[in-house]
């Protein structure tokens, strides 16, 4: 292990590798430590193995934080176009899937290979399988004690991510270290996570497990239009993951299925045109058949369209497009894609990510209280905050 360097980065994930690359490009000697056996494990599994590495529409509005202005500076100085230029420079083919989300054509491993190649070019030294046992402030900067010996540097960048997916090595390391140095840590909770339902409701929707439909999910004034997925545990799919970051225990969310279609008008027209059809058949023209049947049965509606008063049709339509559900909880950090909350941005300089009270100490990526929507925003924050720190160490 190299004993002395200008910069030590703890965490060889998206943010840490980007910081190492930028610092190395500026001529800094960089040592990067990670307890895992491989770097960028979350990149590897991201985007279903294709890594949704950025979002071309990424902007401050796509991030949650106690201070929504904090992310602006870093996001402005390393943009999706900057990351795309890096990807293009390595000849990695990509495509836009939907809503500005960019994915690798082939494999997320291409992104990891790219970052490792860039680190090699600038001479950043990576130590994997390295447990960190302590960090202390010394006169010349910081001393990090590890299972492979001690190392020292004038700057220390902490990029150990959040608590999501502990099975993959996620730890609360960054939060503990922040507290050790007197930085405030805001309450953390799982984000971009499936929501669970209580056993009674779950039993009634059990036959729907596996069914997906376009939906709008609302929580207060926040709404997302993407796919909704019924699962064996409750509700999932991109629309639910998105709203989960806004949802709090005890709150309701309002589900509108096929929000682009006026279901009430559709039912009334169908009644006029062909009253002998069943409501299941009419709804089944728009929705998956099993879902249509469930929704009709849930409203205890029977008979043909001609038999149904308009009031019943409106009730049925409301069941489809104004369904208030109170989730019992979330699947937690076990499956959450991100951790909300974390190191209070008030303690950090938004241009450099440096702790205001501890010169030379930087926090970047997911451990900071900046959390993106689903769709490539979280990696964009990792790249941008990593770049910001790498630019200033
Ligand atoms: P990250 O977690 O990537 O890296 C932290 C590193 O620190 C790891 O290498 C870890 O081993 C190391 N570490 C942790 N504790 C340590 C300790 N005590 N000692 C030493 N090392 C330690 N985002 C997105 O924009 N597009 C996408 O497609 C996806 N897809 C996705 C899928 C799944 C299943 C998950 C769980 C998450 C996503 N995300 C995503 C979110 C994205 O993965 C996440 O926001 C970034 O990886 C965060 O990058 P960081 O570098 O901050 O942490």
């Amino acid at each position: 292990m190299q004993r002395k360097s200008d910069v030590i980065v703890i965490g060889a994930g998206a943010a840490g590798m980007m910081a190492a690359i930028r610092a190395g490009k500026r001529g800094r000697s960089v040592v990067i430590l990670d307890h895992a056996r491989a770097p960028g494990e979350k990149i590897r599994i991201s985007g279903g193995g294709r890594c949704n590495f950025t979002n071309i529409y990424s902007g401050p509005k796509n991030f949650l934080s106690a201070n929504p202005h904090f992310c602006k500076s870093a996001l402005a100085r390393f943009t999706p176009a900057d990351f795309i230029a890096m990807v293009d420079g390595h000849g990695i083919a990509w495509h836009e899937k939907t809503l500005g989300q960019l994915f690798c054509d082939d494999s997320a491993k291409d992104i990891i290979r790219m970052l490792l190649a860039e680190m090699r070019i600038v001479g950043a030294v990576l130590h994997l399988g390295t447990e960190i046992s302590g960090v202390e402030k010394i006169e010349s900067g910081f001393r990090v004690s590890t299972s492979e010996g001690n190392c020292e540097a004038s700057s220390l960048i902490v990029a150990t991510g959040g608590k999501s997916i502990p099975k993959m090595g996620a730890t609360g390391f960054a939060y503990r270290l922040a507290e050790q140095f007197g930085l405030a840590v805001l309450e953390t909770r799982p984000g971009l996570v499936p929501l669970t339902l209580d056993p009674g409701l779950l039993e009634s929707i059990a036959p729907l497990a596996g069914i997906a439909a376009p939906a709008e999910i609302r929580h207060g004034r926040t709404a997302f239009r993407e796919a909704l997925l019924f699962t064996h545990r409750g509700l999932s799919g991109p629309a639910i993951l998105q709203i989960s970051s806004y949802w709090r225990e005890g709150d309701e969310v309002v589900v509108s299925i096929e929000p682009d279609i006026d279901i009430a008008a559709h039912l009334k027209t169908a009644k006029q045109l062909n009253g002998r059809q069943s409501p299941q058949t009419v709804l089944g023209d728009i929705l998956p058949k099993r879902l249509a049947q469930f929704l009709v049965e849930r409203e205890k509606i029977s008979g043909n369209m001609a038999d149904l008063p308009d009031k019943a049709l409106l009730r049925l339509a409301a069941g489809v497009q104004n369904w208030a559900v109170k989730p019992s909880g979330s699947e937690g950090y076990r499956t959450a894609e991100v951790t909300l909350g974390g190191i209070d941005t008030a303690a950090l300089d938004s241009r450099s990510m440096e702790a205001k009270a501890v010169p030379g100490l930087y926090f970047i990526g997911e451990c900071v209280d900046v959390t993106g929507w689903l769709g490539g925003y979280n990696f964009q924050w990792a790249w941008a905050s990593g770049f910001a720190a790498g630019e200033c160490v």
Side-chain angles (χ1 to χ4, degrees):
M1 152 112 41
Q2 188 180 325
R3 301 290 163 216
K4 286 206 162 122
S5 60
D6 295 325
V7 183
I8 296 172
V9 180
I10 307 181
M17 289 198 275
M18 180 57 88
I21 292 164
R22 190 61 204 157
K25 266 204 177 123
R26 292 178 49 252
R28 303 289 183 268
S29 57
V30 183
V31 166
I32 175 162
L33 311 172
D34 200 302
H35 65 173
R37 292 268 145 224
E41 278 293 87
K42 280 208 182 144
I43 300 175
R44 184 177 59 78
I45 61 159
S46 68
R50 291 227 163 91
C51 186
N52 177 192
F53 55 79
T54 192
N55 191 298
I56 51 175
Y57 304 122
S58 180
K61 65 180 185 311
N62 308 113
F63 294 85
L64 293 86
S65 171
N67 175 4
H69 303 292
F70 179 82
C71 61
K72 287 181 180 171
S73 172
L75 290 175
R77 280 175 300 119
F78 190 84
T79 64
D82 292 320
F83 195 76
I84 294 167
M86 197 171 178
V87 169
D88 287 344
H90 284 258
I92 298 170
W94 53 268
H95 60 278
E96 179 182 344
K97 197 168 167 189
T98 172
L99 304 169
Q101 302 167 5
L102 305 192
F103 286 75
C104 297
D105 281 1
D106 187 18
S107 164
K109 289 182 192 159
D110 290 339
I111 299 292
I112 302 173
R113 278 193 283 267
M114 173 188 85
L115 296 167
L116 290 175
E118 291 277 335
M119 288 202 325
R120 263 195 307 277
I121 292 168
V122 301
V125 182
L126 173 62
H127 292 281
L128 296 168
T130 304
E131 298 295 334
I132 315 295
S133 50
V135 173
E136 59 185 307
K137 182 92 186 78
I138 54 172
E139 212 180 301
S140 59
F142 297 87
R143 178 180 298 128
V144 178
S145 314
T146 84
S147 52
E148 312 302 307
N150 295 348
C151 50
E152 295 176 8
S154 48
S155 300
L156 174 64
I157 301 179
V158 183
T160 49
K163 295 180 180 171
S164 42
I165 326 262
K167 229 171 62 187
M168 293 193 68
T171 63
F173 180 85
Y175 312 123
R176 286 196 300 277
L177 196 72
E179 280 166 353
Q180 178 190 328
F181 284 96
L183 277 66
V185 177
L186 304 183
E187 182 202 357
T188 57
R189 57 198 173 89
L192 301 182
V193 64
L195 297 176
T196 53
L197 299 174
D198 67 41
L201 186 52
L202 199 55
E203 200 186 320
S204 72
I205 69 154
L208 304 182
I211 289 178
E216 179 180 273
I217 317 290
R218 267 180 286 135
H219 175 269
R221 285 195 294 182
T222 308
F224 288 95
R225 278 188 182 203
E226 285 186 64
L228 162 72
L229 174 69
F230 293 89
T231 74
H232 289 292
R233 293 196 179 84
L235 303 174
S236 188
I240 290 290
L241 299 187
Q242 298 280 31
I243 215 73
S244 73
S245 295
Y246 293 83
W247 176 82
R248 299 280 184 152
E249 205 103 350
D251 290 352
E252 271 183 1
V253 296
V254 178
V255 176
S256 172
I257 299 169
E258 288 289 1
D260 292 329
I261 300 173
D262 183 340
I263 298 279
H266 179 81
L267 290 172
K268 280 185 190 167
T269 309
K271 179 179 167 179
Q272 280 161 8
L273 294 179
N274 184 355
R276 283 194 308 206
Q277 280 182 304
S278 72
Q280 283 92 329
T281 308
V282 174
L283 273 187
D285 289 341
I286 304 172
L287 309 178
K289 302 263 179 292
R290 258 189 298 154
L291 179 57
Q293 187 182 344
F294 166 82
L295 291 164
V296 172
E297 285 171 4
R298 192 180 61 182
E299 298 304 328
K300 301 191 171 48
I301 284 172
S302 54
N304 289 337
M305 293 299 287
D307 306 329
L308 301 177
D310 283 357
K311 232 169 80 183
L313 296 185
L314 289 176
R315 202 173 77 234
L316 181 56
V320 182
Q321 296 199 311
N322 199 16
W323 177 33
V325 203
K326 194 185 270 190
S328 58
S330 82
E331 289 189 8
Y333 291 117
R334 190 179 60 81
T335 60
E337 287 200 10
V338 286
T339 305
L340 290 148
I343 294 155
D344 189 351
T345 58
L348 305 177
D349 179 303
S350 65
R351 203 180 58 85
S352 62
M353 305 291 132
E354 188 176 21
K356 288 175 185 165
V358 191
L361 179 62
Y362 299 76
F363 289 90
I364 57 172
E366 193 179 325
C367 65
V368 177
D369 172 35
V370 173
T371 306
W373 290 358
L374 184 79
Y377 302 101
N378 284 295
F379 279 135
Q380 188 55 37
W381 170 246
W383 314 135
S385 59
F387 185 90
E391 189 69 0
C392 293
V393 283

